[in-house]
């Protein structure tokens, strides 16, 4: 075989090898696209009802200081916020994240009714707050908002509840980190009459309750709840969404009464 023929054969072999490599690369790319699209579809279905928990609580150095538990915190380890009459015959547990857009939709639709039933003594509310969206979306807004809510709780349960409502009424898009700015949180706190005491402002600026917020987040992660918002009345999960839309206040009241009657 001549040198020229050897060169031609070698060139053809190299071309075939390069073609196989290109085809394999294209196949891998197609598989990644298909898998990515499937994951996105599953996530979209999950977000239709709740925001699914994934990742860790996104803790940072600010949570490594001394643990200061706010006055008015409840639960054995001080990670629960209880609103309503202590002697209420029933307990509604609400699991939520301040950055959760589905929580905001439920709060906008049914928040007043949820509170009214607590105010009337039908049940007391136990808030269990998460910060997992910081890990999912990046940033620190969930943690910073929760630490500020701890400062509000230190001022009083009613102050916490009002600040809680203000946060949801002014929730930034979940893809942004608006609650990560303490000055913005302090501006929002100004919407709650009497909340911005010197002690409150200092606690928010200093991150006094950041370690407590991390502890609250860890308690949520250990709860077994897989998404927010989740509502449980006397241990029974309430289905407060229909086709991804919050049920009406009237439907919520009926659901509560039905659940209580079923015992």
């Amino acid at each position: 075989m001549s040198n020229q023929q050897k060169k031609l054969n070698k060139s053809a072999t190299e071309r075939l090898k390069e073609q196989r490599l290109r085809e394999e690369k294209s196949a891998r790319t197609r598989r990644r696209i298909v898998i990515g699209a499937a994951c996105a579809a599953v996530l979209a279905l999950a977000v239709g009802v709740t925001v699914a928990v994934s990742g860790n609580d996104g803790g940072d150095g600010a949570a490594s200081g001394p643990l200061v538990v706010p006055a008015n915190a409840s639960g054995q380890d001080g990670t629960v916020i209880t609103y309503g009459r202590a002697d209420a015959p029933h307990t509604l547990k609400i699991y939520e994240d301040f950055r959760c857009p589905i929580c905001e939709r439920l709060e906008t639709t049914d928040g007043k009714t949820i509170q009214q039933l607590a105010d009337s003594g039908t049940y007391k509310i136990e808030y269990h707050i998460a910060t997992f969206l910081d890990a999912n979306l990046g940033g620190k807004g969930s943690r910073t908002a929760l630490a500020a809510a701890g400062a509000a709780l230190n001022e009083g349960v009613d102050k916490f509840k009002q600040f809680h409502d203000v946060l949801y009424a002014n929730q930034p898009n979940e893809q942004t980190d608006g609650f990560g700015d303490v000055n913005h949180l302090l501006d929002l706190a100004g919407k709650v009459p009497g909340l911005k005491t010197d002690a409150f402002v200092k606690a928010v600026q200093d991150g006094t309750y950041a370690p407590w917020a991390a502890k609250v987040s860890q308690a949520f992660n250990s709860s077994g709840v897989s998404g927010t918002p989740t509502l449980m009345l006397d241990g029974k999960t309430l289905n407060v969404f229909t086709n991804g839309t919050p049920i009406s206040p009237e439907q919520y009241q009926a659901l509560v009464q039905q659940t209580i009657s079923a015992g």
Side-chain angles (χ1 to χ4, degrees):
M1 182 181 295
S2 68
N3 289 335
Q4 182 65 25
Q5 288 177 320
K6 290 180 180 180
K7 289 181 180 180
L8 289 172
N9 289 340
K10 182 178 180 181
S11 177
T13 301
E14 289 175 348
R15 286 198 301 272
L16 287 171
K17 182 178 180 180
E18 289 172 354
Q19 182 178 351
R20 283 198 302 272
L21 290 173
R22 285 195 299 270
E23 290 173 349
E24 289 172 0
K25 183 178 180 181
S26 296
R28 287 196 299 270
T29 300
R30 286 194 298 272
R31 285 196 297 271
R32 283 197 295 268
I33 292 172
V34 170
I35 292 170
C39 291
V42 170
L43 180 59
L45 288 173
V47 171
V49 178
T50 63
V51 173
V53 175
S54 69
N56 55 35
D57 64 0
D60 59 9
S64 63
L67 175 64
V68 180
V69 177
N72 308 301
S74 58
Q76 290 184 347
D77 54 1
T79 60
V80 180
I81 301 99
T82 303
Y83 176 86
R85 301 178 186 178
D87 61 351
H90 305 283
T91 300
L92 176 70
K93 294 184 178 182
I94 299 180
Y95 297 83
E96 60 185 12
D97 186 314
F98 284 124
R99 285 181 75 179
C100 168
I102 315 302
C103 298
E104 184 275 331
R105 286 168 58 188
L106 179 65
E107 182 66 28
T108 298
T109 303
D110 295 310
K112 290 183 179 179
T113 304
I114 292 171
Q115 177 178 337
Q116 285 169 358
L117 291 179
D119 291 341
S120 68
T122 300
Y123 52 59
K124 59 181 175 290
I125 301 173
E126 289 185 354
Y127 289 99
H128 300 262
I129 304 179
T131 64
F132 65 86
L133 278 174
D134 286 349
N136 288 11
L137 302 173
K140 59 181 182 178
S142 293
R143 285 170 285 148
T144 308
L146 177 52
L153 180 62
N154 195 64
E155 298 290 322
V157 174
D158 287 343
K159 290 292 187 287
F160 161 82
K161 182 62 171 65
Q162 293 174 62
F163 186 54
H164 165 281
D165 295 351
V166 165
L167 289 177
Y168 278 118
N170 296 272
Q171 186 190 73
N173 183 289
E174 72 270 19
Q175 298 295 335
T176 70
D177 196 30
F179 285 162
D181 181 355
V182 294
N183 291 320
H184 179 53
L185 291 173
L186 288 172
D187 287 342
L188 293 178
K191 297 177 180 291
V192 178
L195 176 58
K196 287 184 69 173
T197 64
D198 290 343
F200 171 84
V201 172
K202 180 173 172 50
V204 173
Q205 291 176 336
D206 294 350
T208 300
Y209 297 105
W212 172 79
K215 188 175 182 181
V216 172
S217 179
Q218 291 165 4
F220 176 94
N221 292 343
S222 301
S223 69
V225 172
S226 59
T228 59
T230 294
L231 277 65
M232 301 179 69
L233 181 58
D234 295 339
K236 299 177 181 178
T237 301
L238 300 181
N239 185 7
V240 293
F241 287 85
T242 301
N243 297 323
T245 301
I247 60 178
S248 70
E250 294 77 18
Q251 290 172 320
Y252 175 80
Q253 286 184 303
L255 178 59
V256 167
Q257 293 304 320
Q258 179 184 354
T259 305
I260 290 174
S261 298

